[in-house]
Amino acid sequence: MSEHRRKPPQPQGGGRAAARRGQSGSSSGRRAAPRGATGSPSDSYGSDSYGSGGEERAYGGRAEARRAAQQRSGGGRRRAAEPTRGGRRGAAMGAAGAAAAGRGRAGAVSDKKRLIDYPRAGKYGWQRWLPSWKLVSGLCLGFFGSLVAVAGIGYAMVGVPTEENAAARSQNNVYLWSNGQQMVATGSGQNRQNVTIDRIPKAMQDAVISAENKTFYEDSGVDPMGIARALANMARGGDTQGGSTITQQFVKNTYLSQEQTVSRKFKEMFISIKVGTKLGKKQILQGYLNTSYYGRGAYGIQAAAQTYYGKDAHKLEPSECAFLAALLKGPTYYDPAGNESLDPAANKDDNLKRSKERWAWILEQMHNDDKLTDAQYQEAIKDYPTPQGRKATKGMSGQISYLVDTAKKYVLNHSNITEQQFDQGGYQIRTTFEKSKVEALAKAVRKIEKEKLDPEKRERDKHVQFGAASVKPKDGAIVALYGGAGYENGHFNNNADTSGVPVGSTWKPFVLAAAMEYGTYRSDGPLSPMSKYNGNDRLKVLNNDGSYVLKKDNTPFLQKNESPRPWGYITLRKAMEQSVNTPFVQLGMDVGMRNVRDVAEKAGILDSSFATLNPSFALGTSTPSAIRMADAYATFAAAGKQAAPYSVTSVKFNGEEIDGFEKPRITQAMPENVANNVTDVLENVIQNGTGKNALSLGRTAAGKTGTTDENKSAWFVGYTQQLSTSVAMFREDPKSAKLLSMNGTAGEESIHGGDVPTLVWTEYMKAALKGKPDLGFPEAEPIGDVQDAVGAPSPTPTPSETPSETPSETPSETPSETPTSPSPTPSDTCGFFGCDEEDNGGQNGGEDHGGTDGGASSEPTPTDTNLDGGNTRGNGNGGIFGGPAG
């Protein structure tokens, strides 16, 4: 038989022959089904379920199989006849075969149509989900191909800008007075000059390369790992800063904004690649050094060399080059002159330490990179190249420099603008400062300074400084400040915003306010200012449990007054009037120093200026700025309403308004009647007490004097309803910045807050309030219960206080009520835990230093025990700048 006529092989177990065999078996029973054909256990082992006769099992035909399938699926209209056992078995086998054949055909068709064979066909279990090597390699090739395509498109679409950005061009910032008139235009526009690479010392070039990009001359201009780190930082919620190459930094400085975004980072990368192909490495390095920010408003290496060393860039020594290279890491934190107004961490000491460490590290890297020989390295590392101090720039003279400093700090603390961005210029800043009031305050300081001080004749008149600020109550606007002698005279520290000068007895109103708001551990409610406390000198201070406050040597702490006059038990009103220390120290212990602290903070004092909570805390060991003290007293003037101090009302950049400079929110910092009662007591200080020099103002006013231990500082803070002003006076060692005693200053044995500071305050307020009505103050309603201190004598029908101690006191106070009167009054008796007796005055008394005019004790200090007092009601948050005041 020929090949083409050969019959195809018949299918196993199916087809017509099988059907015939099934039919034959069912009719005659002559041929038995093969063993195992039915799939039953009996088939496998040769047994017959129909008995020993061995009756053969019939197979069903095709028709019978169809009827069985229809019956199972519910098809057909009539119930099919019951098939035989053999028929059922045959039908089942036929159906299974048909299904398997169908799956095979469907699978074959599906496999041909699938582009990606996943999950894998023809595999079962875990193998079905295991991708094939073809799939993995294909996906990898596709992914990298896409990256190449995206990079190619990005490279093609992003071009090198034809112009420098505004930062590289640099502009001025314009400051405006409160009325919109220009105060000064200043900024980096006047402090930049490009130089060619041949005018930049090789040591400067090597310093930045060794410190920032050792592979500069070999790399393509981008750092893929640095970009990856930047993206990872962004994914974690941080910024996109990463390790950029010098080329990338040059591109950012010259062509892009300083914002940290993913899109800007990718732009930077593509432009850097193109710049790297178009510009030589020397050109890029030259551009980088000419556009980088070195601090103090200096852009570029030439401006930096002049700013820090007063010389041209090409004259810089290797050691100086390393110093300037260190500034590139962040001039705010690496300029040894410090920039504490922007961040307390950027103080002089910490900045100097950071600068020296990085300067030394850069020199070491240059040496390791063979940029410095051994001899050159030893010469360079020998001495740290201390830069010159800050200088006044054009227009930044007199008080303008301090006004600009205050406004700039406010802008940076209330926006996302960085110092570098701000110094690049283009901003218009409208301030709260009123030109007439600024000039009046400076004139008042100069006038009193000229009348009272003569540095050429008296040594103690040298190095005397003033700081002052004036704030609007119910608003918080800083209308005037006095920061010092001016940048042009080498005074770069803003005394109006200096933290570090203790405020002395000007702190006592916060103690009284806390007593009237919270009461003491012995009272059921607010305490009346007519409550009596022991005013005797060298008082043993009591804890709430009746034990004495102890010093470190476990002997009783003795609080001193300015004079040894035995005041006896006097009202708190009288103690405030004459600034007697001892009543307020014991009152602070009874109220709880933490409550005193909270009241001061709610009034506007910054948390960072608080001193340690010990008994002397009540006497003004804290060091808030003049701005903050004026603002806190403005809270009393405004019947308890507090507004954080502010110095900027609007900021525009290239004509567009920047958000975030709305007026601070006004809050009720203390009950209205508490503030009004404090005002009533402080009115009496001017009328009858230590602030009598302010009477010449000729209008209703309230205020408090303050002098500190060893006469190192003297304050007067006072207010009307329209204006709250603080004046501080102190001496400072120009080398160590330590406070010096003013005993002997102005030819006086000691300087009190009621002397020179009050005279300056009065002179200024006369001019500032000229033509303004005298609004007086809201009437104070009686407050609290009279709760005398432990040991006070029992009240008698006959008043033991003079008329001046009642709320209706008048200026008719007799001279005998001044602290210098030696004779005691009938109430000056020693009660239980009262005045010092001979056995506890003695030897320890002479060791304690009592300040003048209510100054705080310094050494030895009391231990910090029971400072919360018995009353722990209420904690509040004061209005805080979010940074130093300004």
Side-chain angles (χ1 to χ4, degrees):
M1 185 180 295
S2 64
E3 185 67 23
H4 68 276
R5 293 177 61 85
R6 184 177 298 166
K7 292 182 179 180
Q10 296 297 319
Q12 298 293 326
R16 297 177 181 176
R20 286 196 297 271
R21 285 194 297 273
Q23 291 172 353
S24 175
S26 65
S27 60
S28 64
R30 293 181 182 178
R31 299 180 66 179
R35 179 178 296 175
T38 65
S40 67
S42 59
D43 289 338
S44 302
Y45 293 94
S47 61
D48 192 345
S49 60
Y50 291 105
S52 58
E55 184 178 348
E56 293 182 350
R57 300 173 186 171
Y59 281 82
R62 281 183 294 176
E64 206 160 355
R66 283 197 301 272
R67 286 194 295 271
Q70 289 172 355
Q71 195 171 16
R72 285 193 300 273
S73 62
R77 296 181 180 180
R78 292 180 300 174
R79 182 180 179 86
E82 183 71 25
T84 63
R85 184 184 301 270
R88 288 196 304 269
R89 188 176 291 117
M93 291 181 64
R103 284 196 302 269
R105 287 192 300 272
V109 173
S110 176
D111 288 346
K112 289 179 182 178
K113 290 183 178 180
R114 294 174 68 186
L115 179 63
I116 299 176
D117 183 20
Y118 191 81
R120 297 173 68 184
K123 303 290 183 181
Y124 303 95
W126 63 270
Q127 291 180 328
R128 180 173 173 80
W129 302 100
L130 183 68
S132 66
W133 69 270
K134 292 181 180 180
L135 178 62
V136 172
S137 59
L139 290 176
C140 289
L141 288 173
F143 175 74
F144 287 112
S146 299
L147 284 183
V148 171
V150 170
I153 293 171
Y155 184 82
M157 293 181 65
V158 176
V160 178
T162 57
E163 292 186 1
E164 295 178 332
N165 62 12
R169 291 194 301 271
S170 186
Q171 305 173 62
N172 286 330
N173 289 325
V174 178
Y175 293 83
L176 308 176
W177 294 105
S178 61
N179 61 5
Q181 293 180 351
Q182 182 170 314
M183 177 197 303
V184 67
T186 184
S188 57
Q190 301 173 354
N191 199 16
R192 181 179 172 198
Q193 180 183 351
N194 289 341
V195 290
T196 57
I197 194 70
D198 60 296
R199 302 287 290 174
I200 301 174
K202 183 68 165 54
M204 188 67 208
Q205 302 174 42
D206 292 337
V208 296
I209 291 173
S210 292
E212 300 184 29
N213 187 187
K214 289 180 182 290
T215 61
F216 171 69
Y217 282 107
E218 291 79 34
D219 62 40
S220 62
V222 295
D223 178 10
M225 293 304 297
I227 294 173
R229 283 195 301 273
L231 296 176
N233 289 341
M234 184 203 65
R236 290 194 296 266
D239 59 32
T240 59
Q241 286 183 325
S244 298
T245 64
I246 286 176
T247 304
Q248 287 175 265
Q249 293 180 63
F250 164 64
V251 167
K252 180 177 66 175
N253 291 344
T254 308
Y255 303 115
L256 301 173
S257 68
Q258 298 294 320
E259 63 178 345
Q260 296 295 329
T261 61
V262 174
S263 61
R264 204 275 295 154
K265 202 71 179 174
F266 275 109
K267 266 188 178 181
E268 175 189 303
M269 178 180 69
F270 291 130
I271 295 176
S272 297
I273 294 173
K274 285 195 171 183
V275 166
T277 61
K278 292 183 177 181
L279 300 180
K281 291 291 185 178
K282 289 288 186 181
Q283 288 176 286
I284 294 172
L285 185 59
Q286 171 185 297
Y288 171 62
L289 292 172
N290 277 325
T291 57
S292 293
Y293 182 61
Y294 295 81
R296 301 191 191 179
Y299 277 84
I301 185 60
Q302 175 65 16
Q306 287 289 347
T307 297
Y308 288 93
Y309 293 109
K311 60 172 72 172
D312 291 332
H314 70 275
K315 296 180 179 179
L316 291 170
E317 300 294 331
S319 182
E320 296 167 337
C321 291
F323 168 83
L324 294 176
L327 290 173
L328 296 176
K329 189 171 178 65
T332 300
Y333 301 98
Y334 288 85
D335 181 354
N339 208 337
E340 207 167 346
S341 62
L342 296 181
D343 187 345
N347 57 75
K348 291 182 179 180
D349 293 339
D350 289 343
N351 275 20
L352 179 60
K353 181 180 178 182
R354 281 189 287 261
S355 177
K356 285 185 175 181
E357 288 175 352
R358 186 157 180 83
W359 163 77
W361 178 81
I362 291 175
L363 288 175
E364 182 182 22
Q365 295 302 305
M366 295 172 69
H367 182 231
N368 293 342
D369 296 340
D370 296 327
K371 304 300 183 182
L372 291 176
T373 64
D374 291 345
Q376 290 173 328
Y377 173 69
Q378 292 301 326
E379 178 65 24
I381 201 70
K382 183 169 59 177
D383 293 311
Y384 175 76
T386 303
Q388 60 190 17
R390 294 178 181 271
K391 294 179 180 179
T393 56
K394 183 179 179 181
M396 297 283 282
S397 59
Q399 296 308 300
I400 298 297
S401 52
Y402 307 115
L403 300 178
V404 167
D405 172 77
T406 303
K408 174 183 176 181
K409 180 175 59 178
Y410 189 89
V411 171
L412 298 183
N413 284 336
H414 289 79
S415 68
N416 294 322
I417 303 170
T418 66
E419 185 185 14
Q420 181 175 351
Q421 288 173 314
F422 189 81
D423 285 348
Q424 286 164 353
Y427 295 92
Q428 184 186 78
I429 304 97
R430 187 161 184 167
T431 71
T432 60
F433 305 126
E434 298 180 20
K435 185 176 181 181
S436 61
K437 289 183 173 62
V438 171
E439 292 176 346
L441 185 53
K443 184 178 179 181
V445 172
R446 288 195 300 267
K447 178 182 177 181
I448 303 303
E449 200 173 28
K450 185 177 180 180
E451 290 177 359
K452 295 291 184 178
L453 304 178
D454 190 348
E456 295 182 0
K457 292 183 178 180
R458 290 186 293 265
E459 181 68 25
R460 289 300 178 101
D461 286 3
K462 293 180 179 178
H463 313 307
V464 173
Q465 298 184 30
F466 292 88
S470 196
V471 174
K472 281 185 178 180
K474 297 182 183 179
D475 186 284
I478 306 170
V479 297
L481 57 79
Y482 182 86
Y487 281 19
E488 70 276 17
N489 294 314
H491 187 86
F492 295 95
N493 195 41
N494 186 354
N495 290 346
D497 199 16
T498 294
S499 179
V501 181
V503 296
S505 289
T506 56
W507 195 258
K508 289 174 182 174
F510 301 123
V511 183
L512 181 61
M516 290 192 291
E517 182 173 355
Y518 298 124
T520 70
Y521 76 100
R522 297 174 58 242
S523 67
D524 295 328
L527 197 71
S528 167
M530 298 307 293
S531 301
K532 294 179 180 179
Y533 270 70
N534 193 334
N536 288 328
D537 188 32
R538 297 193 303 176
L539 178 72
K540 288 184 178 180
V541 182
L542 297 175
N543 292 309
N544 294 167
D545 60 4
S547 63
Y548 292 124
V549 173
L550 302 178
K551 297 184 296 187
K552 292 180 180 179
D553 62 0
N554 288 325
T555 58
F557 167 70
L558 301 177
Q559 178 59 53
K560 294 191 68 177
N561 294 324
E562 178 188 4
S563 76
R565 174 176 177 174
W567 286 97
Y569 282 86
I570 56 175
T571 63
L572 295 172
R573 180 182 176 85
K574 185 69 175 180
M576 186 76 76
E577 172 195 302
Q578 298 299 331
S579 203
V580 185
N581 286 347
T582 49
F584 287 97
V585 172
Q586 188 59 63
L587 179 63
M589 295 298 293
D590 293 351
V591 172
M593 294 299 178
R594 293 192 188 279
N595 282 330
V596 175
R597 184 188 190 280
D598 289 343
V599 166
E601 185 174 28
K602 287 186 289 184
I605 302 300
L606 288 175
D607 177 79
S608 59
S609 62
F610 287 120
T612 303
L613 296 184
N614 60 27
S616 295
F617 180 78
L619 300 181
T621 52
S622 297
T623 59
S625 67
I627 290 174
R628 282 290 168 174
M629 284 301 288
D631 183 66
Y633 270 52
T635 303
F636 298 137
K641 292 181 175 63
Q642 204 281 327
Y646 68 101
S647 57
V648 174
T649 57
S650 70
V651 176
K652 293 181 179 180
F653 180 67
N654 292 333
E656 295 292 327
E657 192 90 20
I658 295 177
D659 295 333
F661 295 97
E662 300 80 13
K663 285 186 178 182
R665 185 171 60 92
I666 297 175
T667 61
Q668 191 72 38
M670 64 184 68
E672 183 175 331
N673 200 36
V674 168
N676 290 342
N677 269 274
V678 170
T679 295
D680 181 68
V681 172
L682 297 186
E683 277 188 87
N684 185 55
V685 170
I686 292 178
Q687 292 168 0
N688 303 301
T690 57
K692 283 185 177 180
N693 277 329
L695 282 173
S696 61
L697 178 62
R699 64 173 64 224
T700 306
K704 183 69 188 77
T705 58
T707 310
T708 57
D709 184 35
E710 298 181 14
N711 224 207
K712 290 182 178 178
S713 63
W715 288 73
F716 184 77
V717 188
Y719 55 90
T720 65
Q721 281 206 64
Q722 298 104 319
L723 216 53
S724 175
T725 303
S726 65
V727 179
M729 175 183 178
F730 57 94
R731 287 183 72 223
E732 185 178 69
D733 186 324
K735 294 182 179 179
S736 66
K738 292 182 179 179
L739 295 181
L740 304 172
S741 174
M742 290 190 293
N743 290 333
T745 297
E748 302 289 341
E749 184 178 346
S750 62
I751 291 292
H752 298 80
D755 298 331
V756 176
T758 304
L759 294 176
V760 171
W761 181 90
T762 306
E763 190 71 24
Y764 161 71
M765 293 290 276
K766 283 180 181 178
L769 297 173
K770 187 176 181 180
K772 304 289 184 182
D774 184 353
L775 300 179
F777 291 111
E779 185 176 349
E781 299 294 330
I783 189 171
D785 298 324
V786 174
Q787 178 75 61
D788 296 337
V790 172
S794 300
T796 62
T798 303
S800 60
E801 297 283 350
T802 61
S804 66
E805 294 174 82
T806 65
S808 60
E809 293 181 75
T810 64
S812 63
E813 180 95 22
T814 60
S816 62
E817 305 233 32
T818 62
T820 58
S821 177
S823 57
T825 64
S827 64
D828 297 336
T829 58
C830 297
F832 180 71
F833 291 135
C835 65
D836 285 329
E837 298 177 3
E838 212 168 49
D839 59 336
N840 54 28
Q843 68 211 39
N844 292 325
E847 296 173 359
D848 295 304
H849 300 283
T852 56
D853 187 28
S857 297
S858 57
E859 290 293 340
T861 56
T863 56
D864 303 337
T865 57
N866 296 326
L867 299 177
D868 287 334
N871 191 329
T872 57
R873 282 181 284 162
N875 286 319
N877 296 320
I880 296 178
F881 239 29

